[in-house]
Amino acid sequence: NAGVTQTPKFRVLKTGQSMTLLCAQDMNHEYMYWYRQDPGMGLRLIHYSVGEGTTAKGEVPDGYNVSRLKKQNFLLGLESAAPSQTSVYFCASSRAESVAFFGQGTRLTVV
Amino acid sequence: GESVGLHLPTLSVQEGDNSIINCAYSNSASDYFIWYKQESGKGPQFIIDIRSNMDKRQGQRVTVLLNKTVKHLSLQIAATQPGDSAVYFCAESSLAYDKVIFGPGTSLSVIP
């Protein structure tokens, strides 16, 4: 049972480049989330999804897009990366009003 | 209100002492609360949870207290060990809204 798997684990992008972060969960959870965590800071919600085909904005959605085409996958896209998007990105999944399980994070650096 | 990006407060505790980490949650409609532990370089991991129909729940060396009147949550760690050094987050949720809202977190440092 892998739980929540994020790929890639590390990435360096140049300003203006695009990329997609993949999150996969094998727990049949309805809810999936993308957070960012800056050094010494808490978790900020970027986007989330309450089911296949649905997405919603969190606290800091600007500059990001998401898609949930399959229940087990939640993709986070950066269309034109900026240095301010340098961060560690965490994906999580959960059932409704239940414990969220987190991936190990993706460390992204935009230069 | 939503959790916003804030620098983490730090709590330093002597090994063997008890630790108390506090959290003020934001939404009076929240009815499910969770404490997570995040070790350096890792994702947050579940420690203990509590529903709003309870005011106390105990686990192994950890106790969560809930005071709905003042929207306050606390995590007590008994006999703190070096392995407890981490960042601790409280989180709130409800069926009334879809997302999990995280508190700003507290960095616990255990002094040997």
Side-chain angles (χ1 to χ4, degrees), chain B residues 10-19 79-86 107-112:
Chain B
T10 301
L11 174 66
S12 294
V13 176
Q14 203 73 36
E15 181 178 358
D17 287 351
N18 297 334
S19 303
T80 311
Q81 302 168 0
D84 295 327
S85 293
S107 177
L108 176 65
S109 177
V110 181
I111 305 164

Side-chain angles (χ1 to χ4, degrees), chain B residues 28-99:
Chain B
S28 55
S30 296
D31 53 17
Y32 179 59
F33 306 89
I34 312 163
W35 279 100
Y36 290 90
K37 174 185 181 183
Q38 186 180 26
E39 295 174 292
S40 181
K42 297 184 179 180
Q45 289 188 301
F46 168 81
I47 301 173
I48 191 168
D49 59 356
I50 189 168
R51 297 202 178 266
S52 59
N53 60 350
M54 302 173 69
D55 53 21
K56 181 179 181 179
R57 190 163 188 220
Q58 288 185 291
Q60 192 173 25
R61 281 203 309 120
V62 294
T63 301
V64 56
L65 299 177
L66 174 63
N67 185 331
K68 295 182 287 294
T69 303
V70 295
K71 294 193 289 186
H72 184 267
L73 200 61
S74 68
L75 177 71
Q76 300 178 0
I77 305 173
T80 311
Q81 302 168 0
D84 295 327
S85 293
V87 176
Y88 291 81
F89 292 98
C90 66
E92 58 184 301
S93 72
S94 170
L95 290 177
Y97 53 88
D98 295 321
K99 50 201 168 182

